[in-house]
Amino acid sequence: MKHTTLIAIICLLCTAAGAQKPFTIPEVGTFQSAEGRCPQPSRVSFRGGAFKHVAQQLADDYQTIFGKALKTHEGKARKGDIELRLDKSLADEAYTIEVTPKGATLCASTPTGMYWATRTLIQISEQSQDRSLPCGTMEDKPAYPLRGLMVDAGRKFIPLHYLEDLICAMSYHKLNTLHIHLNDNGFPKYYHNDWKQTYEAFRLESDLFPELTAQDGFYTKFEFQQLQEFARQHCVEIIPEIDFPAHSLSFTRLRPELASKGYGDDHLDLFHPNTYTFLDSLLAEYVDPADPVFTGKYFHIGTDEYNNRKPEVVEAFRAMTDRYLGFVQQYGKRAACWGSLTHAKGETPVRTKDVLMYCWSNDYANPKEMHDLGYQLLSIPDGLVYIVPAAGYYYDYLNCKYLYENWTPANFGNVQFDEGDPQIEGGMAAVWNDHPGNGISTADIHHRLFPALQTIAQKTWAGASTSVPYAVFDSLRTNISEAPGVDQLGLKGRPYYIETLKPETERVAPAGPTSLGYPYSISMTIDCQLEELGTILTEDLDARFYLCDPEEGHLAFERDGYLIRFDYVMPTEGRIRLTIEGDNESTRLFVDGKLQQELRRHWVETEDTKARMAWVPTLRFPLLQSGEFRSTITNVTIH
């Protein structure tokens, strides 16, 4: 009865909103319905080479998500085809879709526009049991050209395979820009106010300064080049950021003489000539036209949160900002920076032409002032779209309902511009990993990021034209996959049962999940044997679950560089029923139905500085493959 009532309410809301559109994220611009449905297609046809790659992507993704192979055909369409057709009258990212009982015709003027059309087609197909399509005509285009996310990889290493999955999820929701923050440091108050102990990381391989590269996770030059190419294949642009002259502890640890004498070791000395020699060499290493590491059109130079205590420092900061905006442009890149020129108000001119300014704090860069100066603006207001996991400030999870109902990229907190203002390029949400060492995993980040991704996708594509009520959006959004082949939330394929878990199995559950996202429960019967130190029960690319951890022999799990133990040692004989439960706050161990231990998020205080940091012992349970164990494991149930 409750389910029927909910469906009735949703239908009523859709009708009230005038939204007979098929549900997609983001929603399509217009839809004129017609009678009938188009049966599931069997072929993708196209003419000329412009859409050949998109046709193959559609066929590959269709097979991945639905298990049905679509043939691709270069030539005239026939009944039942998905036809990709060139229409030069459409804008770069615009597309149309016409569905009749005889087939579907997708039109666009560019491969990007056609790619977005295929994302809409797959999303609609996902929500139909027989994969048929409703007949009608759709017209769609984005309200803003730049739509994206920012991820702090400086203070928390983000593995490449996750970035690839994130790119796929972004492109499936028509987000087209991923900003990767490549260097940063922690706060010294969590390290006994000692800069020498404070965490820092620079995530790129460097041939000029090999000691600069972080040893707990980095990207080789080739890997980063390949990542950008992978992103381009999915119509996503990567904006790499090397942040300076603040957030620069990695640089001053390598070159101590370059540290500011008055503002802390994370500030570069703006008056030391070797600061500029060092930065010139470092930045040129990644934009050298002979073999560029940054192969896209952007280069973000940071420039946030430098001290403004003295006028001469402000002028030096402004001069440095102008210098490196120009430096980037000399190498043929479009320069981007964090807005800081209200905070650093002075006389030294800072160039505006073809510069993208991220307006994140109206105190640091008043959007109206920056707009009047002539900057192109990106809306990324900290009070609305900043996620800082488990920090106790900004957002742990974004207020998606508020954003959906109140925000567009024309909104900069308490400063509002007209929709469609040509100086507003778009908007982003950001994940900042301010607290290195707090236990947050990449899976935890994604759990926070994905609902934000869907909301930001809607609001940057549709803008103020959003018509579907939030209650409907929120109830239906889970019907759409993260992306074809992506299950970072670990929600697919449950419940599941495995009669016997065999050791050294490449795929634990051939038709089941490869990991269990929050919330979950996994139970198993174990006929115990003596296990060696380091015995793995199951693992995937991100995590391992140990029957006997490598150091102390406890039941434990390892992920993201953390080894987290239960206060429990497996017996060497006899039978037990072992259950692990997990959510986004805790991981619990039950033995024979009795709670043995709960590892729960809690606050840890540094004794001398009284600084409090959360500790998060969560686990997305790995199920990709089993380890080499001696015990017999049966009756594995997953919920």
Side-chain angles (χ1 to χ4, degrees), residues 538-558:
T538 56
E539 63 182 330
D540 62 13
L541 293 174
D542 296 307
R544 287 176 171 175
F545 193 91
Y546 290 104
L547 290 175
C548 185
D549 88 71
E551 298 175 4
E552 298 182 5
H554 286 226
L555 203 71
F557 54 90
E558 184 176 16

Side-chain angles (χ1 to χ4, degrees), residues 162-194:
Y162 173 73
L163 291 176
E164 290 178 349
D165 275 0
L166 180 60
I167 287 164
C168 291
M170 290 174 63
S171 72
Y172 194 49
H173 294 77
K174 302 188 182 74
L175 292 172
N176 65 358
T177 309
L178 175 61
H179 175 151
I180 305 178
H181 183 77
L182 289 164
N183 66 288
D184 216 317
N185 49 265
F187 301 124
K189 66 181 180 179
Y190 297 110
Y191 303 89
H192 312 288
N193 281 328
D194 184 351

Side-chain angles (χ1 to χ4, degrees), residues 68-320:
K68 178 180 172 61
L70 296 183
K71 295 179 180 180
T72 60
H73 168 72
E74 185 170 2
K76 187 177 180 180
R78 69 185 183 193
K79 183 178 179 180
D81 280 6
I82 299 171
E83 180 187 6
L84 312 186
R85 183 184 295 176
L86 179 67
D87 183 344
K88 293 183 179 180
S89 70
L90 294 170
D92 285 353
E93 291 191 279
Y95 66 89
T96 65
I97 299 177
E98 183 180 9
V99 180
T100 73
K102 296 182 179 181
T105 302
L106 283 57
C107 294
S109 65
T110 65
T112 298
M114 186 60 73
Y115 184 73
W116 297 147
T118 66
R119 303 305 91 183
T120 295
L121 189 86
I122 296 174
Q123 284 193 14
I124 295 171
S125 300
E126 269 200 90
Q127 299 168 83
S128 168
Q129 286 190 341
D130 61 2
R131 311 307 174 202
S132 64
L133 300 167
C135 291
T137 303
M138 300 172 221
E139 296 182 2
D140 202 14
K141 63 180 180 180
Y144 292 92
L146 197 158
R147 311 174 299 278
L149 301 173
M150 192 232 74
V151 176
D152 174 8
R155 287 173 285 201
K156 164 80 177 74
F157 180 65
I158 309 297
L160 278 169
H161 66 265
Y162 173 73
L163 291 176
E164 290 178 349
D165 275 0
L166 180 60
I167 287 164
C168 291
M170 290 174 63
S171 72
Y172 194 49
H173 294 77
K174 302 188 182 74
L175 292 172
N176 65 358
T177 309
L178 175 61
H179 175 151
I180 305 178
H181 183 77
L182 289 164
N183 66 288
D184 216 317
N185 49 265
F187 301 124
K189 66 181 180 179
Y190 297 110
Y191 303 89
H192 312 288
N193 281 328
D194 184 351
W195 284 111
K196 292 181 180 179
Q197 296 183 49
T198 301
Y199 183 86
E200 53 77 21
F202 181 82
R203 298 298 181 189
L204 288 174
E205 175 187 25
S206 174
D207 296 320
L208 287 177
F209 309 104
E211 302 90 347
L212 181 63
T213 302
Q215 295 307 299
D216 64 338
F218 69 94
Y219 313 116
T220 68
K221 291 181 176 180
F222 179 74
E223 285 173 339
F224 204 76
Q225 289 167 331
Q226 291 298 106
L227 181 69
Q228 291 165 95
E229 178 57 28
F230 179 87
R232 274 190 288 273
Q233 295 298 318
H234 292 80
C235 299
V236 173
E237 177 78 21
I238 288 180
I239 298 182
E241 178 195 355
I242 296 178
D243 197 2
F244 61 89
H247 302 276
S248 295
L249 185 59
S250 297
F251 307 144
T252 65
R253 186 159 290 170
L254 179 70
R255 295 288 179 85
E257 72 276 11
L258 303 184
S260 166
K261 304 304 183 289
Y263 304 132
D265 286 4
D266 64 341
H267 279 49
L268 289 169
D269 184 345
L270 302 182
F271 300 97
H272 199 304
N274 289 347
T275 294
Y276 300 89
T277 304
F278 170 77
L279 287 174
D280 287 355
S281 299
L282 179 70
L283 303 189
E285 182 175 3
Y286 300 106
V287 291
D288 183 350
D291 186 22
V293 179
F294 297 164
T295 57
K297 63 182 179 181
Y298 289 95
F299 188 167
H300 194 294
I301 63 167
T303 71
D304 57 321
E305 298 185 306
Y306 200 89
N307 194 289
N308 69 343
R309 194 181 309 159
K310 297 180 180 180
E312 61 270 25
V313 171
V314 166
E315 300 303 335
F317 171 83
R318 293 174 66 91
M320 171 182 265

Side-chain angles (χ1 to χ4, degrees), residues 539-589:
E539 63 182 330
D540 62 13
L541 293 174
D542 296 307
R544 287 176 171 175
F545 193 91
Y546 290 104
L547 290 175
C548 185
D549 88 71
E551 298 175 4
E552 298 182 5
H554 286 226
L555 203 71
F557 54 90
E558 184 176 16
R559 85 294 187 279
D560 297 81
Y562 302 101
L563 178 61
I564 302 172
R565 298 184 184 88
F566 291 103
D567 187 20
Y568 181 79
V569 177
M570 289 285 292
T572 58
E573 60 183 15
R575 173 178 289 186
I576 64 170
R577 183 69 176 171
L578 187 75
T579 300
I580 304 295
E581 293 181 355
D583 55 36
N584 64 334
E585 294 278 344
S586 63
T587 310
R588 297 174 293 280
L589 167 65

Side-chain angles (χ1 to χ4, degrees), residues 179 239-245 298-305 317-318 320-322 324-326 328-329 334-341 350-352 354-361 365 370 375-380 386:
H179 175 151
I239 298 182
E241 178 195 355
I242 296 178
D243 197 2
F244 61 89
Y298 289 95
F299 188 167
H300 194 294
I301 63 167
T303 71
D304 57 321
E305 298 185 306
F317 171 83
R318 293 174 66 91
M320 171 182 265
T321 301
D322 181 70
Y324 284 105
L325 292 174
V328 167
Q329 291 172 346
R334 188 179 183 199
C337 63
W338 295 104
S340 293
L341 298 185
V350 180
R351 72 190 64 214
T352 61
D354 202 28
V355 173
L356 179 63
M357 178 174 284
Y358 284 48
C359 283
W360 64 281
S361 163
M370 300 305 110
Y375 287 103
Q376 294 296 114
L377 305 182
L378 180 91
S379 178
I380 186 168
Y386 270 23

Side-chain angles (χ1 to χ4, degrees), residues 378-599:
L378 180 91
S379 178
I380 186 168
D382 59 350
L384 293 175
V385 299
Y386 270 23
I387 299 170
V388 187
Y393 55 85
Y394 286 127
Y395 290 96
D396 197 15
Y397 290 78
L398 291 187
N399 186 342
C400 290
K401 182 178 188 296
Y402 181 86
L403 290 172
Y404 190 92
E405 294 177 344
N406 297 281
W407 181 79
T408 75
N411 182 318
F412 293 76
N414 60 2
V415 176
Q416 179 75 43
F417 293 94
D418 292 335
E419 295 292 330
D421 187 308
Q423 285 182 241
I424 312 301
E425 294 211 6
M428 287 185 181
V431 176
W432 292 102
N433 297 304
D434 285 11
H435 294 170
N438 66 353
I440 284 287
S441 68
T442 303
D444 292 324
I445 290 171
H446 187 75
H447 196 259
R448 289 155 171 77
L449 192 57
F450 188 69
L453 180 157
Q454 291 183 311
T455 302
I456 295 298
Q458 170 64 24
K459 299 302 292 185
T460 55
W461 180 277
S465 298
T466 295
S467 64
V468 177
Y470 180 76
V472 176
F473 174 86
D474 193 46
S475 67
L476 297 181
R477 66 180 182 82
T478 56
N479 294 338
I480 294 176
S481 298
E482 294 172 65
V486 175
D487 184 29
Q488 281 289 332
L489 290 174
L491 297 177
K492 290 184 178 178
R494 294 193 279 174
Y496 201 80
Y497 176 78
I498 304 169
E499 185 174 350
T500 301
L501 179 61
K502 297 178 181 180
E504 299 182 85
T505 304
E506 289 190 2
R507 182 74 185 266
V508 170
T514 59
S515 65
L516 301 179
Y518 316 132
Y520 66 84
S521 172
I522 178 168
S523 300
M524 63 199 74
T525 299
I526 304 180
D527 289 296
C528 302
Q529 299 287 327
L530 177 65
E531 304 285 6
E532 295 181 358
L533 289 176
T535 296
I536 297 167
L537 174 67
T538 56
E539 63 182 330
D540 62 13
L541 293 174
D542 296 307
R544 287 176 171 175
F545 193 91
Y546 290 104
L547 290 175
C548 185
D549 88 71
E551 298 175 4
E552 298 182 5
H554 286 226
L555 203 71
F557 54 90
E558 184 176 16
R559 85 294 187 279
D560 297 81
Y562 302 101
L563 178 61
I564 302 172
R565 298 184 184 88
F566 291 103
D567 187 20
Y568 181 79
V569 177
M570 289 285 292
T572 58
E573 60 183 15
R575 173 178 289 186
I576 64 170
R577 183 69 176 171
L578 187 75
T579 300
I580 304 295
E581 293 181 355
D583 55 36
N584 64 334
E585 294 278 344
S586 63
T587 310
R588 297 174 293 280
L589 167 65
F590 295 82
V591 179
D592 294 329
K594 181 180 179 180
L595 179 62
Q596 186 74 28
Q597 188 177 5
E598 180 178 33
L599 303 174

